Amino acid sequence: MSKLEEIFAAADERVRALGEGYEVVDVEQHGEYGETHITIYVDKLPDGMSLDDCEKIHYEIEPIIDDIDPTDGKPYVLEVSSPGLDRPFKKQRDFERNYGREVEVRLYAPLKGAKVYEGVLKLRTDGYVLLDVGGEDVVIENTRIAAVRPLVRFD
């Protein structure tokens, strides 16, 4: 198990134990201005994260992450963030929660002349995603998909 996988598992176990609908959705490590940053993306169902939630989670998981020692003794910055309204779906449960909702599917290469499809998510299997696009079913193989995310409209 990699350090990031270990961080994900430990942080998710801790935030779920709080019993407020929290779940870790992703963990990233990146460098910025010569510093190492560990960013833990946490969502809260059904209403999403607030700044207070991020602060609370930070204090809850900081000792656990320090014990894992993600940078082998080197300093790092721990960040806890909301994944945002338009975060890409990563896990099957992300897809399942969004059945019946509008999504945007971005492809690596055009399919029938389009690289982006917008429609209602009907199903996601190991092999494909099924969308309702204007009343017509569109099947897109998972290997063609770069990202699927909620369709956010600002009117």
Side-chain angles (χ1 to χ4, degrees), residues 4 27-39 41 70-71 74-79:
L4 289 181
V27 176
E28 293 179 348
Q29 180 175 334
H30 60 279
E32 190 173 305
Y33 306 112
E35 297 178 324
T36 299
H37 289 246
I38 306 289
T39 305
Y41 295 96
T71 55
K74 296 180 182 138
Y76 68 94
V77 176
L78 176 63
E79 301 168 336

Side-chain angles (χ1 to χ4, degrees), residues 63-129:
I64 296 166
I65 307 308
D66 283 343
D67 286 345
I68 293 172
D69 191 17
T71 55
D72 298 321
K74 296 180 182 138
Y76 68 94
V77 176
L78 176 63
E79 301 168 336
V80 174
S81 178
S82 163
L85 288 175
D86 65 343
R87 75 172 171 96
F89 302 158
K90 301 255 182 185
K91 299 182 176 178
Q92 180 64 24
R93 69 177 178 241
D94 297 331
F95 288 89
E96 290 168 1
R97 279 192 203 117
N98 287 281
Y99 287 167
R101 294 192 175 136
E102 286 188 302
V103 297
E104 174 186 89
V105 179
R106 294 193 169 269
L107 307 179
Y108 293 113
L111 172 67
K112 298 181 185 175
K115 279 186 75 172
V116 178
Y117 282 83
E118 294 178 357
V120 175
L121 180 62
K122 293 177 78 173
L123 181 68
R124 194 254 188 168
T125 70
D126 289 337
Y128 63 89
V129 166

Side-chain angles (χ1 to χ4, degrees), residues 16-79:
R16 284 177 185 274
L18 295 173
E20 296 183 39
Y22 296 118
E23 72 172 330
V24 174
V25 296
D26 202 7
V27 176
E28 293 179 348
Q29 180 175 334
H30 60 279
E32 190 173 305
Y33 306 112
E35 297 178 324
T36 299
H37 289 246
I38 306 289
T39 305
I40 301 176
Y41 295 96
V42 180
D43 204 357
K44 181 179 181 183
L45 300 174
D47 301 321
M49 295 285 286
S50 69
L51 188 56
D52 288 340
D53 289 321
C54 289
E55 181 180 21
K56 176 181 179 176
I57 297 298
H58 186 281
Y59 287 116
E60 285 288 334
I61 65 174
E62 186 175 33
I64 296 166
I65 307 308
D66 283 343
D67 286 345
I68 293 172
D69 191 17
T71 55
D72 298 321
K74 296 180 182 138
Y76 68 94
V77 176
L78 176 63
E79 301 168 336

